[in-house]
Amino acid sequence: MTTAPHPGPRPETPRTTPDGSRLTLLHVGGPALLLRLGGLTIVSDPGFDAPRDYPRPGGGTSTRLRGPAVGPDALGQLDVALVSHDQHVDNLDLSGRALLPGVAHVLTTPAGAARLAPDVPGVVGLAP
């Protein structure tokens, strides 16, 4: 199976929020989004792996067909990572996991925090 190349990132376009704060968004790919707001740089559900197959528990594979629009090095210093869930590699992939220990604040679910804690110092699990 062949896939079309990723179209590439759209430039970060600054916007102004109603309170006058500067806001920029960049869709990295898949669930990953970079948000710059109020002096903070936030990434949601970091995923940066190149196309590949991932083995699934119980058999079978998940296949990533496209890589990210930009790599993690292009994002600069990250202040916060929001991880909605860590159970699936299509949501938090291997490159995203490797990035987390260098992020000042990692926020996720309580169960996700327990799983990530051995490798991610200071991860915080937030209640629903």
Side-chain angles (χ1 to χ4, degrees), residues 112-121 123:
R115 285 186 292 271
L116 293 171
D119 300 316
V120 182
V123 61

Side-chain angles (χ1 to χ4, degrees), residues 47-88:
F48 298 99
D49 284 355
R52 60 170 287 171
D53 289 335
Y54 300 97
R56 294 173 59 174
T61 59
S62 291
T63 301
R64 174 162 289 173
L65 298 177
R66 293 187 176 162
V70 296
D73 293 342
L75 304 180
Q77 181 65 37
L78 298 171
D79 299 301
V80 179
L82 304 173
V83 179
S84 65
H85 66 287
D86 66 310
Q87 293 96 323
H88 307 116

Side-chain angles (χ1 to χ4, degrees), residues 7-128:
R10 292 182 180 164
E12 288 185 55
T13 305
R15 307 268 190 226
T16 303
T17 64
D19 72 355
S21 300
R22 186 171 178 208
L23 166 73
T24 60
L25 296 171
L26 173 65
H27 182 227
V28 173
L33 179 72
L34 182 72
L35 167 73
R36 298 184 200 278
L37 176 65
L40 293 176
T41 301
I42 303 164
V43 65
S44 68
D45 296 318
F48 298 99
D49 284 355
R52 60 170 287 171
D53 289 335
Y54 300 97
R56 294 173 59 174
T61 59
S62 291
T63 301
R64 174 162 289 173
L65 298 177
R66 293 187 176 162
V70 296
D73 293 342
L75 304 180
Q77 181 65 37
L78 298 171
D79 299 301
V80 179
L82 304 173
V83 179
S84 65
H85 66 287
D86 66 310
Q87 293 96 323
H88 307 116
V89 293
D90 61 340
N91 192 71
L92 179 61
D93 65 16
L94 303 174
S95 299
R97 284 179 185 273
L99 177 83
L100 294 180
V103 178
H105 304 281
V106 178
L107 308 175
T108 189
T109 63
R115 285 186 292 271
L116 293 171
D119 300 316
V120 182
V123 61
V124 174
L126 301 176

